[in-house]
Amino acid sequence: MNYDIAVMPGDGTGPEVVREGLKVLQAAAARAGFSYDLTEYDFGADRYLRTGETLPDSAIDELGGHDCIFLGAIGHPDVKPGILEQGILLKARFALDLYVNLRPVKLFPGVDTPLKDKGPADIDFVVVRENTEGLYASTGGFLKKGTPDEIAVQESVNTRKGAERCIRFAFDYASRPDRHGKLTLCGKTNVLTYAWDLWWRAFNEVGDADYPGITRDYSHVDAIVMWFVKNPEWFDVIVTDNMFGDIITDLAAMIQGGLGIAAGGNINPEGTAMFEPMGGSAPKYAGQNVINPLAAISSMQMMLDHMGQKDAARWVEAAIVHAVSKMDSLAAGKMGMSTSEVGDLVARHVAEGAVVEEGGW
Ligand code: IPM
Ligand code: MN
């Protein structure tokens, strides 16, 4: 099997963490016996500052032709907030119709969580966030802009097709052998009665018709963040809209140990998929070899899983658990090792996994 992978290292610490992710990919491929081609793209702040270009339409077609895209980070202090996020990240999500944002939330053994009395057995769920609609659809407008009577309208777009395809992905995910067959819809049916009426009907109709074996549950969005703190063990797979998903996954990242470890995938199950660490470009740590690459390595793990390399994905996860046990902290500059040393440690564990596995980790 040969995979065609696009690499977008991006800004700040992006290139440093991408390098470690690719190191791990190399080790996984050698052991699993698959091959891949890498094509690097320089989209990001430097190119924007040089040329004014974010993600041109021609690049979209090219990126869409790859099996997967591995992204480092986007963002630079010299670029006004919003330009790169919208011009690169959101443009890729929309133009490539990456309609699922997948965010696994798993507390690995030895990782600190701010939740008292909760451990790895309690924090292990996955959020399936709709990634192309809702408040992110950017419809609305101003009336009387700049006057005291100014009105700004920002609409939430919810299509039956958009909600349903995301809900189906979530039901399929909850059906995986490594999940527990429970799907929670996270919404706001008591107030946002148009959007969540549509979602509610789609959720139940799809569940009744095609997933009778999956247990269905519902939580309002304001309640779910409370439960994340108090009873995270209740959750297996969660499906929600774009804005709610954006918000709840930041809280979720914190309970799994923070941005040093949190990863995400932007997936079109019928097309390409883009994997990225959740943390930003962390400009103040750039070029120092001190940033934690585990979030990027985790997103590589998700990429392997998505490509169908399930064994390789499990090896990488085991290697991450091993690395965590050797690190002083997950925070940049406090790991007790450098960025490249963490990458080396994970890659070596992946490469030698057969031996290490016997000893357990
Ligand atoms: C995320 C980020 C993005 C979002 C930003 C950078 C546009 O916060 O991936 O969650 O809001 O979706
Ligand atoms: Mn976010």
Side-chain angles (χ1 to χ4, degrees):
M1 191 69 195
N2 188 64
Y3 299 96
D4 177 7
I5 299 167
V7 181
M8 286 172 50
D11 307 322
T13 51
E16 290 166 66
V17 298
V18 157
R19 199 175 304 131
E20 304 314 312
L22 294 177
K23 214 182 252 178
V24 172
L25 172 64
Q26 191 177 25
R31 184 165 158 209
F34 66 85
S35 60
Y36 56 90
D37 296 311
L38 301 178
T39 311
E40 192 168 318
Y41 294 88
D42 68 350
F43 301 113
D46 286 342
R47 178 158 171 160
Y48 171 73
L49 290 168
R50 224 174 42 239
T51 68
E53 208 169 50
T54 48
L55 193 60
D57 292 337
S58 57
I60 292 291
D61 293 340
E62 239 186 273
L63 285 174
H66 296 278
D67 295 321
C68 288
I69 305 161
F70 187 47
L71 172 68
I74 297 292
H76 191 285
D78 294 346
V79 182
K80 210 174 112 205
I83 292 180
L84 300 172
E85 292 90 327
Q86 289 177 22
I88 299 179
L89 193 58
L90 296 184
K91 180 158 180 186
R93 287 179 186 172
F94 280 75
L96 297 171
D97 204 20
L98 309 177
Y99 64 83
V100 166
N101 190 318
L102 187 66
R103 283 278 299 105
V105 180
K106 188 166 183 173
L107 179 68
F108 291 127
V111 173
D112 272 341
T113 174
L115 301 189
K116 191 160 77 69
D117 303 331
K118 299 293 177 189
D122 304 303
I123 301 173
D124 182 4
F125 59 89
V126 177
V127 179
V128 176
R129 161 186 171 188
E130 201 290 322
N131 213 26
T132 56
E133 300 192 341
L135 281 167
Y136 280 67
S138 213
T139 63
F142 290 110
L143 267 172
K144 304 181 188 174
K145 189 175 178 189
T147 75
D149 297 327
E150 173 164 358
I151 300 171
V153 176
Q154 189 92 48
E155 292 154 334
S156 174
V157 173
N158 296 265
T159 68
R160 171 69 192 222
K161 177 183 154 195
E164 186 169 326
R165 63 186 184 172
C166 181
I167 286 168
R168 284 193 183 277
F169 182 94
F171 271 113
D172 284 338
Y173 208 96
S175 311
R176 282 170 54 134
D178 56 350
R179 295 310 327 170
H180 306 286
K182 179 177 174 187
L183 180 61
T184 303
L185 177 69
C186 164
K188 192 72 185 174
T189 53
N190 53 348
V191 178
L192 307 179
T193 48
Y194 307 121
W196 290 100
D197 190 82
L198 182 151
W199 275 80
W200 175 260
R201 281 180 284 113
F203 180 65
N204 287 303
E205 286 165 18
V206 168
D208 280 343
D210 296 327
Y211 301 91
I214 300 296
T215 305
R216 296 198 297 265
D217 197 5
Y218 172 81
S219 178
H220 291 320
V221 63
D222 48 344
I224 215 166
V225 287
M226 186 173 78
W227 303 130
F228 277 4
V229 173
K230 196 166 174 292
N231 296 103
E233 68 279 4
W234 286 352
F235 300 103
D236 180 21
V237 181
I238 296 165
V239 62
T240 191
D241 80 355
N242 210 340
M243 188 77 256
F244 291 170
D246 179 46
I247 297 167
I248 70 172
T249 54
D250 268 25
L251 178 67
M254 285 303 122
I255 70 172
Q256 76 177 125
L259 294 178
I261 192 99
N266 302 268
I267 301 173
N268 178 331
E270 298 87 37
T272 191
M274 179 169 79
F275 296 87
E276 51 169 340
M278 285 265 289
S281 57
K284 80 172 183 189
Y285 296 115
Q288 296 172 38
N289 203 20
V290 296
I291 195 78
N292 188 349
L294 286 183
I297 293 171
S298 250
S299 61
M300 178 54 74
Q301 187 261 345
M302 292 181 73
M303 188 165 114
L304 290 165
D305 182 88
H306 178 76
M307 297 189 317
Q309 294 293 335
K310 306 284 175 188
D311 285 343
R314 281 192 296 102
W315 301 333
V316 173
E317 185 173 313
I320 292 172
V321 171
H322 172 72
V324 160
S325 75
K326 304 280 179 209
M327 293 162 70
D328 295 343
S329 155
L330 296 188
K334 298 182 181 149
M335 301 186 295
M337 47 181 106
S338 66
T339 305
S340 44
E341 281 168 343
V342 175
D344 288 342
L345 186 60
V346 175
R348 206 176 326 120
H349 192 284
V350 168
E352 297 166 0
V355 179
V356 182
E357 264 166 24
E358 278 166 26
W361 39 262

